[in-house]
Amino acid sequence: MPPPVATLEAPQVSATTQAVAGEARRGLTSTPKSLSPWLFYDEIGSRLFEQITTLPEYYLTRTERSLFTAHAAEIFSTLGPNLTIAELGAGTAAKTGILLRALTGLQPHVLYQPIDISPTALDEARETIERTIPNVTVRPQAANYITDTVRIERPPHTRILALYIGSSIGNFAPAEARQILTRLRSELAPGDALLLGADLGPCLAELTPSKSIPTLLAAYNDKAGITAAFNRNILARLNRELGANFRPEQFAHRALWNHTHSRIEIHLQSLLPQTVHIPANAAGPALNLHFAQSETIHTENSYKFTPTAIAALLGDANFAPTRTFTDPQNLFAVTLARAI
Ligand code: AVI
């Protein structure tokens, strides 16, 4: 057998690690410093987010779920028969079961197409839905709906109901949000529909009652500190994946309401002057990052909407809102819209 040949090939770096390295370099060498919220969702961060959705202060998930339970029958009677369902950013599809179960009561078979960047979440979604809801076929698609065009299958004689729920739309700046909905609309035909979940803003002139700013702030500053752990995990992830030496406990979790932009902003604030090292990687040479005391890394925006703003966003993407469902406290809105 010939001796192994020494090669000068670079060590293999996964596409994800390369993207993490690129985003860390972009965001942490910018002024002000920022990191994109997609970095939250590694395995640990996804688990922490699941915990957030069960917190007493985080009203979003349970309120949207209660709206689905209360209005699923009405949503499907408005839409009529022969639907197939596609979901952007489905994750483990925890809330979607309510809608699928209601639909299987109205048509003999449902094709459900969850789309998500995480193959593990999609596996879990398929396993749970097919095990617990008869007559649903799950056809998952691992894709990044933010950057890639997704394919939505249309069985003969069916219309598509696209789901974009959980107020994920709120984690994008208005122009990006319009782009996501416009790209989704390009996969649909007139007469198809969209169900959009969006968190409502505080102190809204057009809604009585409307939530208070303290209620909103509490959802992002929970007493158990899970949101703080979720936020700091972004630094721990850079340590794990890039060999950085962040000390996450030296950064405080900050969530504040930005009235001008109608958004919650999440930051990590340096508690002292400090320097952090990130070794050289596929994205470039080593970095020594200096943090002044109180300097922040902006890690997320969570936009909050008025019903008028939701209608305008949908209209810009060629959807016409047909019904909006809100809870008695006007915390959250689920809007049904027709593709036009
Ligand atoms: C996923 N997204 C809708 C959440 C939100 O409320 O903006 C992410 C989150 N960030 C902190 N807590 C929850």
PDB file of all heavy atoms in Angstrom, residues 19 23 36 38 88-89 115-117 141-151 164 172 176-177 179-181 183-184 186:
ATOM      1  N   ALA A  19     -20.616  30.579   8.342  1.00  0.00           N
ATOM      2  CA  ALA A  19     -21.604  31.671   8.434  1.00  0.00           C
ATOM      3  C   ALA A  19     -21.519  32.355   9.806  1.00  0.00           C
ATOM      4  O   ALA A  19     -21.612  33.587   9.897  1.00  0.00           O
ATOM      5  CB  ALA A  19     -23.010  31.122   8.195  1.00  0.00           C
ATOM      6  N   GLU A  23     -20.601  36.276  10.344  1.00  0.00           N
ATOM      7  CA  GLU A  23     -21.533  37.186  11.021  1.00  0.00           C
ATOM      8  C   GLU A  23     -20.878  37.804  12.265  1.00  0.00           C
ATOM      9  O   GLU A  23     -21.075  38.994  12.554  1.00  0.00           O
ATOM     10  CB  GLU A  23     -22.835  36.444  11.383  1.00  0.00           C
ATOM     11  CG  GLU A  23     -23.814  37.214  12.235  1.00  0.00           C
ATOM     12  CD  GLU A  23     -24.190  38.598  11.699  1.00  0.00           C
ATOM     13  OE1 GLU A  23     -24.067  38.850  10.484  1.00  0.00           O
ATOM     14  OE2 GLU A  23     -24.593  39.442  12.520  1.00  0.00           O
ATOM     15  N   SER A  36     -26.584  39.090  14.489  1.00  0.00           N
ATOM     16  CA  SER A  36     -27.897  38.781  13.918  1.00  0.00           C
ATOM     17  C   SER A  36     -28.614  37.727  14.776  1.00  0.00           C
ATOM     18  O   SER A  36     -27.991  36.767  15.249  1.00  0.00           O
ATOM     19  CB  SER A  36     -27.714  38.266  12.496  1.00  0.00           C
ATOM     20  OG  SER A  36     -28.951  37.874  12.002  1.00  0.00           O
ATOM     21  N   TRP A  38     -30.365  35.219  14.138  1.00  0.00           N
ATOM     22  CA  TRP A  38     -30.364  33.795  13.761  1.00  0.00           C
ATOM     23  C   TRP A  38     -29.313  33.035  14.551  1.00  0.00           C
ATOM     24  O   TRP A  38     -29.423  31.822  14.745  1.00  0.00           O
ATOM     25  CB  TRP A  38     -30.221  33.575  12.244  1.00  0.00           C
ATOM     26  CG  TRP A  38     -28.949  34.038  11.590  1.00  0.00           C
ATOM     27  CD1 TRP A  38     -28.778  35.195  10.894  1.00  0.00           C
ATOM     28  CD2 TRP A  38     -27.689  33.355  11.541  1.00  0.00           C
ATOM     29  NE1 TRP A  38     -27.479  35.282  10.422  1.00  0.00           N
ATOM     30  CE2 TRP A  38     -26.794  34.164  10.802  1.00  0.00           C
ATOM     31  CE3 TRP A  38     -27.216  32.135  12.058  1.00  0.00           C
ATOM     32  CZ2 TRP A  38     -25.461  33.808  10.573  1.00  0.00           C
ATOM     33  CZ3 TRP A  38     -25.888  31.779  11.831  1.00  0.00           C
ATOM     34  CH2 TRP A  38     -25.030  32.606  11.092  1.00  0.00           C
ATOM     35  N   LEU A  88     -44.049  28.524   6.951  1.00  0.00           N
ATOM     36  CA  LEU A  88     -42.694  29.115   6.985  1.00  0.00           C
ATOM     37  C   LEU A  88     -42.176  29.095   8.416  1.00  0.00           C
ATOM     38  O   LEU A  88     -42.896  29.501   9.336  1.00  0.00           O
ATOM     39  CB  LEU A  88     -42.738  30.588   6.546  1.00  0.00           C
ATOM     40  CG  LEU A  88     -42.977  30.945   5.103  1.00  0.00           C
ATOM     41  CD1 LEU A  88     -42.708  32.436   4.891  1.00  0.00           C
ATOM     42  CD2 LEU A  88     -42.099  30.127   4.168  1.00  0.00           C
ATOM     43  N   GLY A  89     -40.937  28.661   8.602  1.00  0.00           N
ATOM     44  CA  GLY A  89     -40.334  28.673   9.941  1.00  0.00           C
ATOM     45  C   GLY A  89     -41.106  27.809  10.911  1.00  0.00           C
ATOM     46  O   GLY A  89     -41.370  28.209  12.050  1.00  0.00           O
ATOM     47  N   ILE A 115     -41.659  24.173   6.540  1.00  0.00           N
ATOM     48  CA  ILE A 115     -40.388  24.642   5.958  1.00  0.00           C
ATOM     49  C   ILE A 115     -39.573  25.257   7.085  1.00  0.00           C
ATOM     50  O   ILE A 115     -40.069  26.147   7.799  1.00  0.00           O
ATOM     51  CB  ILE A 115     -40.669  25.699   4.862  1.00  0.00           C
ATOM     52  CG1 ILE A 115     -41.518  25.080   3.750  1.00  0.00           C
ATOM     53  CG2 ILE A 115     -39.363  26.278   4.307  1.00  0.00           C
ATOM     54  CD1 ILE A 115     -42.272  26.085   2.912  1.00  0.00           C
ATOM     55  N   ASP A 116     -38.374  24.766   7.275  1.00  0.00           N
ATOM     56  CA  ASP A 116     -37.545  25.297   8.363  1.00  0.00           C
ATOM     57  C   ASP A 116     -36.087  25.047   8.034  1.00  0.00           C
ATOM     58  O   ASP A 116     -35.762  24.119   7.286  1.00  0.00           O
ATOM     59  CB  ASP A 116     -37.901  24.626   9.700  1.00  0.00           C
ATOM     60  CG  ASP A 116     -37.484  25.459  10.889  1.00  0.00           C
ATOM     61  OD1 ASP A 116     -36.313  25.356  11.317  1.00  0.00           O
ATOM     62  OD2 ASP A 116     -38.311  26.252  11.385  1.00  0.00           O
ATOM     63  N   ILE A 117     -35.214  25.861   8.643  1.00  0.00           N
ATOM     64  CA  ILE A 117     -33.776  25.692   8.396  1.00  0.00           C
ATOM     65  C   ILE A 117     -33.230  24.484   9.165  1.00  0.00           C
ATOM     66  O   ILE A 117     -32.201  23.918   8.810  1.00  0.00           O
ATOM     67  CB  ILE A 117     -33.026  26.996   8.762  1.00  0.00           C
ATOM     68  CG1 ILE A 117     -31.650  27.005   8.130  1.00  0.00           C
ATOM     69  CG2 ILE A 117     -32.982  27.207  10.258  1.00  0.00           C
ATOM     70  CD1 ILE A 117     -31.007  28.360   8.116  1.00  0.00           C
ATOM     71  N   GLN A 141     -39.522  20.442   4.339  1.00  0.00           N
ATOM     72  CA  GLN A 141     -38.524  21.020   3.432  1.00  0.00           C
ATOM     73  C   GLN A 141     -37.509  21.802   4.275  1.00  0.00           C
ATOM     74  O   GLN A 141     -37.883  22.770   4.945  1.00  0.00           O
ATOM     75  CB  GLN A 141     -39.244  21.969   2.462  1.00  0.00           C
ATOM     76  CG  GLN A 141     -38.377  22.444   1.331  1.00  0.00           C
ATOM     77  CD  GLN A 141     -39.142  23.429   0.427  1.00  0.00           C
ATOM     78  OE1 GLN A 141     -38.588  24.385  -0.027  1.00  0.00           O
ATOM     79  NE2 GLN A 141     -40.419  23.190   0.196  1.00  0.00           N
ATOM     80  N   ALA A 142     -36.242  21.351   4.237  1.00  0.00           N
ATOM     81  CA  ALA A 142     -35.202  22.080   4.974  1.00  0.00           C
ATOM     82  C   ALA A 142     -34.702  23.209   4.087  1.00  0.00           C
ATOM     83  O   ALA A 142     -34.044  22.966   3.079  1.00  0.00           O
ATOM     84  CB  ALA A 142     -34.069  21.134   5.351  1.00  0.00           C
ATOM     85  N   ALA A 143     -35.060  24.427   4.422  1.00  0.00           N
ATOM     86  CA  ALA A 143     -34.663  25.575   3.588  1.00  0.00           C
ATOM     87  C   ALA A 143     -34.658  26.830   4.444  1.00  0.00           C
ATOM     88  O   ALA A 143     -35.360  26.914   5.456  1.00  0.00           O
ATOM     89  CB  ALA A 143     -35.652  25.751   2.436  1.00  0.00           C
ATOM     90  N   ASN A 144     -33.832  27.782   4.031  1.00  0.00           N
ATOM     91  CA  ASN A 144     -33.787  29.074   4.706  1.00  0.00           C
ATOM     92  C   ASN A 144     -34.725  30.016   3.941  1.00  0.00           C
ATOM     93  O   ASN A 144     -34.351  30.553   2.901  1.00  0.00           O
ATOM     94  CB  ASN A 144     -32.351  29.589   4.687  1.00  0.00           C
ATOM     95  CG  ASN A 144     -32.211  30.894   5.434  1.00  0.00           C
ATOM     96  OD1 ASN A 144     -33.210  31.552   5.732  1.00  0.00           O
ATOM     97  ND2 ASN A 144     -30.991  31.272   5.731  1.00  0.00           N
ATOM     98  N   TYR A 145     -35.948  30.196   4.482  1.00  0.00           N
ATOM     99  CA  TYR A 145     -36.936  30.987   3.738  1.00  0.00           C
ATOM    100  C   TYR A 145     -36.564  32.465   3.673  1.00  0.00           C
ATOM    101  O   TYR A 145     -37.161  33.222   2.918  1.00  0.00           O
ATOM    102  CB  TYR A 145     -38.352  30.810   4.328  1.00  0.00           C
ATOM    103  CG  TYR A 145     -38.504  31.405   5.713  1.00  0.00           C
ATOM    104  CD1 TYR A 145     -38.811  32.754   5.889  1.00  0.00           C
ATOM    105  CD2 TYR A 145     -38.347  30.623   6.843  1.00  0.00           C
ATOM    106  CE1 TYR A 145     -38.947  33.303   7.162  1.00  0.00           C
ATOM    107  CE2 TYR A 145     -38.486  31.159   8.109  1.00  0.00           C
ATOM    108  CZ  TYR A 145     -38.782  32.500   8.256  1.00  0.00           C
ATOM    109  OH  TYR A 145     -38.919  33.042   9.512  1.00  0.00           O
ATOM    110  N   ILE A 146     -35.562  32.870   4.476  1.00  0.00           N
ATOM    111  CA  ILE A 146     -35.164  34.289   4.466  1.00  0.00           C
ATOM    112  C   ILE A 146     -34.307  34.574   3.237  1.00  0.00           C
ATOM    113  O   ILE A 146     -34.409  35.630   2.621  1.00  0.00           O
ATOM    114  CB  ILE A 146     -34.387  34.638   5.755  1.00  0.00           C
ATOM    115  CG1 ILE A 146     -35.250  34.301   6.970  1.00  0.00           C
ATOM    116  CG2 ILE A 146     -33.965  36.106   5.779  1.00  0.00           C
ATOM    117  CD1 ILE A 146     -34.451  34.078   8.230  1.00  0.00           C
ATOM    118  N   THR A 147     -33.469  33.597   2.884  1.00  0.00           N
ATOM    119  CA  THR A 147     -32.553  33.850   1.768  1.00  0.00           C
ATOM    120  C   THR A 147     -32.935  33.079   0.508  1.00  0.00           C
ATOM    121  O   THR A 147     -32.570  33.486  -0.595  1.00  0.00           O
ATOM    122  CB  THR A 147     -31.116  33.438   2.175  1.00  0.00           C
ATOM    123  OG1 THR A 147     -31.179  32.106   2.689  1.00  0.00           O
ATOM    124  CG2 THR A 147     -30.542  34.358   3.229  1.00  0.00           C
ATOM    125  N   ASP A 148     -33.632  31.960   0.671  1.00  0.00           N
ATOM    126  CA  ASP A 148     -33.900  31.107  -0.500  1.00  0.00           C
ATOM    127  C   ASP A 148     -35.378  31.139  -0.866  1.00  0.00           C
ATOM    128  O   ASP A 148     -36.235  31.347  -0.008  1.00  0.00           O
ATOM    129  CB  ASP A 148     -33.550  29.633  -0.202  1.00  0.00           C
ATOM    130  CG  ASP A 148     -32.147  29.492   0.344  1.00  0.00           C
ATOM    131  OD1 ASP A 148     -31.317  30.386   0.071  1.00  0.00           O
ATOM    132  OD2 ASP A 148     -31.896  28.507   1.056  1.00  0.00           O
ATOM    133  N   THR A 149     -35.627  30.868  -2.145  1.00  0.00           N
ATOM    134  CA  THR A 149     -37.020  30.688  -2.564  1.00  0.00           C
ATOM    135  C   THR A 149     -37.427  29.281  -2.145  1.00  0.00           C
ATOM    136  O   THR A 149     -36.670  28.329  -2.326  1.00  0.00           O
ATOM    137  CB  THR A 149     -37.132  30.835  -4.098  1.00  0.00           C
ATOM    138  OG1 THR A 149     -36.608  32.126  -4.415  1.00  0.00           O
ATOM    139  CG2 THR A 149     -38.569  30.758  -4.564  1.00  0.00           C
ATOM    140  N   VAL A 150     -38.617  29.163  -1.579  1.00  0.00           N
ATOM    141  CA  VAL A 150     -39.067  27.839  -1.151  1.00  0.00           C
ATOM    142  C   VAL A 150     -40.015  27.276  -2.199  1.00  0.00           C
ATOM    143  O   VAL A 150     -40.575  28.021  -3.000  1.00  0.00           O
ATOM    144  CB  VAL A 150     -39.768  27.906   0.227  1.00  0.00           C
ATOM    145  CG1 VAL A 150     -38.817  28.400   1.290  1.00  0.00           C
ATOM    146  CG2 VAL A 150     -41.009  28.781   0.179  1.00  0.00           C
ATOM    147  N   ARG A 151     -40.147  25.936  -2.207  1.00  0.00           N
ATOM    148  CA  ARG A 151     -41.087  25.314  -3.162  1.00  0.00           C
ATOM    149  C   ARG A 151     -42.309  24.868  -2.384  1.00  0.00           C
ATOM    150  O   ARG A 151     -42.184  24.176  -1.381  1.00  0.00           O
ATOM    151  CB  ARG A 151     -40.455  24.068  -3.791  1.00  0.00           C
ATOM    152  CG  ARG A 151     -39.390  24.349  -4.837  1.00  0.00           C
ATOM    153  CD  ARG A 151     -38.629  23.070  -5.164  1.00  0.00           C
ATOM    154  NE  ARG A 151     -37.856  22.569  -4.030  1.00  0.00           N
ATOM    155  CZ  ARG A 151     -38.204  21.573  -3.222  1.00  0.00           C
ATOM    156  NH1 ARG A 151     -39.318  20.894  -3.398  1.00  0.00           N
ATOM    157  NH2 ARG A 151     -37.441  21.200  -2.212  1.00  0.00           N
ATOM    158  N   TYR A 164     -47.647  31.770   8.600  1.00  0.00           N
ATOM    159  CA  TYR A 164     -46.426  32.412   9.095  1.00  0.00           C
ATOM    160  C   TYR A 164     -46.806  32.952  10.467  1.00  0.00           C
ATOM    161  O   TYR A 164     -47.349  34.055  10.598  1.00  0.00           O
ATOM    162  CB  TYR A 164     -45.962  33.505   8.139  1.00  0.00           C
ATOM    163  CG  TYR A 164     -44.550  33.972   8.423  1.00  0.00           C
ATOM    164  CD1 TYR A 164     -43.604  33.114   8.970  1.00  0.00           C
ATOM    165  CD2 TYR A 164     -44.153  35.270   8.150  1.00  0.00           C
ATOM    166  CE1 TYR A 164     -42.310  33.524   9.238  1.00  0.00           C
ATOM    167  CE2 TYR A 164     -42.857  35.698   8.401  1.00  0.00           C
ATOM    168  CZ  TYR A 164     -41.950  34.820   8.949  1.00  0.00           C
ATOM    169  OH  TYR A 164     -40.660  35.241   9.223  1.00  0.00           O
ATOM    170  N   PHE A 172     -37.927  40.909  11.838  1.00  0.00           N
ATOM    171  CA  PHE A 172     -37.299  41.483  10.638  1.00  0.00           C
ATOM    172  C   PHE A 172     -37.639  42.960  10.516  1.00  0.00           C
ATOM    173  O   PHE A 172     -38.758  43.380  10.866  1.00  0.00           O
ATOM    174  CB  PHE A 172     -37.780  40.738   9.384  1.00  0.00           C
ATOM    175  CG  PHE A 172     -37.399  39.283   9.427  1.00  0.00           C
ATOM    176  CD1 PHE A 172     -38.284  38.331   9.890  1.00  0.00           C
ATOM    177  CD2 PHE A 172     -36.123  38.885   9.059  1.00  0.00           C
ATOM    178  CE1 PHE A 172     -37.912  36.998   9.976  1.00  0.00           C
ATOM    179  CE2 PHE A 172     -35.742  37.552   9.141  1.00  0.00           C
ATOM    180  CZ  PHE A 172     -36.636  36.605   9.598  1.00  0.00           C
ATOM    181  N   GLU A 176     -37.328  44.006   5.115  1.00  0.00           N
ATOM    182  CA  GLU A 176     -37.099  42.548   5.024  1.00  0.00           C
ATOM    183  C   GLU A 176     -38.417  41.797   5.174  1.00  0.00           C
ATOM    184  O   GLU A 176     -38.660  40.794   4.494  1.00  0.00           O
ATOM    185  CB  GLU A 176     -36.179  42.085   6.155  1.00  0.00           C
ATOM    186  CG  GLU A 176     -34.727  42.468   6.029  1.00  0.00           C
ATOM    187  CD  GLU A 176     -33.993  42.052   7.302  1.00  0.00           C
ATOM    188  OE1 GLU A 176     -34.310  42.588   8.386  1.00  0.00           O
ATOM    189  OE2 GLU A 176     -33.116  41.186   7.216  1.00  0.00           O
ATOM    190  N   ALA A 177     -39.262  42.288   6.082  1.00  0.00           N
ATOM    191  CA  ALA A 177     -40.565  41.633   6.301  1.00  0.00           C
ATOM    192  C   ALA A 177     -41.372  41.668   5.007  1.00  0.00           C
ATOM    193  O   ALA A 177     -41.986  40.666   4.615  1.00  0.00           O
ATOM    194  CB  ALA A 177     -41.316  42.335   7.439  1.00  0.00           C
ATOM    195  N   GLN A 179     -40.181  41.840   2.042  1.00  0.00           N
ATOM    196  CA  GLN A 179     -39.535  40.944   1.069  1.00  0.00           C
ATOM    197  C   GLN A 179     -39.915  39.479   1.324  1.00  0.00           C
ATOM    198  O   GLN A 179     -40.178  38.727   0.386  1.00  0.00           O
ATOM    199  CB  GLN A 179     -38.023  41.130   1.178  1.00  0.00           C
ATOM    200  CG  GLN A 179     -37.267  40.566   0.012  1.00  0.00           C
ATOM    201  CD  GLN A 179     -35.776  40.770   0.201  1.00  0.00           C
ATOM    202  OE1 GLN A 179     -35.219  40.386   1.228  1.00  0.00           O
ATOM    203  NE2 GLN A 179     -35.137  41.373  -0.772  1.00  0.00           N
ATOM    204  N   ILE A 180     -39.957  39.086   2.607  1.00  0.00           N
ATOM    205  CA  ILE A 180     -40.323  37.696   2.938  1.00  0.00           C
ATOM    206  C   ILE A 180     -41.741  37.406   2.459  1.00  0.00           C
ATOM    207  O   ILE A 180     -42.010  36.381   1.823  1.00  0.00           O
ATOM    208  CB  ILE A 180     -40.184  37.457   4.463  1.00  0.00           C
ATOM    209  CG1 ILE A 180     -38.703  37.426   4.848  1.00  0.00           C
ATOM    210  CG2 ILE A 180     -40.892  36.179   4.902  1.00  0.00           C
ATOM    211  CD1 ILE A 180     -38.446  37.467   6.337  1.00  0.00           C
ATOM    212  N   LEU A 181     -42.670  38.327   2.725  1.00  0.00           N
ATOM    213  CA  LEU A 181     -44.062  38.092   2.321  1.00  0.00           C
ATOM    214  C   LEU A 181     -44.219  38.158   0.805  1.00  0.00           C
ATOM    215  O   LEU A 181     -45.005  37.407   0.222  1.00  0.00           O
ATOM    216  CB  LEU A 181     -44.994  39.096   3.007  1.00  0.00           C
ATOM    217  CG  LEU A 181     -45.099  38.968   4.533  1.00  0.00           C
ATOM    218  CD1 LEU A 181     -46.122  39.956   5.079  1.00  0.00           C
ATOM    219  CD2 LEU A 181     -45.469  37.552   4.959  1.00  0.00           C
ATOM    220  N   ARG A 183     -41.927  37.341  -1.388  1.00  0.00           N
ATOM    221  CA  ARG A 183     -41.380  36.103  -1.955  1.00  0.00           C
ATOM    222  C   ARG A 183     -42.356  34.942  -1.731  1.00  0.00           C
ATOM    223  O   ARG A 183     -42.555  34.111  -2.607  1.00  0.00           O
ATOM    224  CB  ARG A 183     -40.031  35.814  -1.317  1.00  0.00           C
ATOM    225  CG  ARG A 183     -39.238  34.881  -2.189  1.00  0.00           C
ATOM    226  CD  ARG A 183     -37.872  34.570  -1.679  1.00  0.00           C
ATOM    227  NE  ARG A 183     -36.939  35.659  -1.731  1.00  0.00           N
ATOM    228  CZ  ARG A 183     -35.977  35.853  -0.840  1.00  0.00           C
ATOM    229  NH1 ARG A 183     -35.858  35.054   0.181  1.00  0.00           N
ATOM    230  NH2 ARG A 183     -35.133  36.851  -0.962  1.00  0.00           N
ATOM    231  N   LEU A 184     -42.974  34.910  -0.557  1.00  0.00           N
ATOM    232  CA  LEU A 184     -43.979  33.869  -0.295  1.00  0.00           C
ATOM    233  C   LEU A 184     -45.143  34.022  -1.274  1.00  0.00           C
ATOM    234  O   LEU A 184     -45.603  33.040  -1.865  1.00  0.00           O
ATOM    235  CB  LEU A 184     -44.483  34.004   1.158  1.00  0.00           C
ATOM    236  CG  LEU A 184     -45.702  33.156   1.514  1.00  0.00           C
ATOM    237  CD1 LEU A 184     -45.368  31.663   1.420  1.00  0.00           C
ATOM    238  CD2 LEU A 184     -46.201  33.489   2.925  1.00  0.00           C
ATOM    239  N   SER A 186     -45.141  35.096  -4.199  1.00  0.00           N
ATOM    240  CA  SER A 186     -44.787  34.675  -5.561  1.00  0.00           C
ATOM    241  C   SER A 186     -44.932  33.163  -5.731  1.00  0.00           C
ATOM    242  O   SER A 186     -44.982  32.666  -6.852  1.00  0.00           O
ATOM    243  CB  SER A 186     -43.371  35.139  -5.925  1.00  0.00           C
ATOM    244  OG  SER A 186     -42.437  34.366  -5.202  1.00  0.00           O
TER     245      SER A 186
END
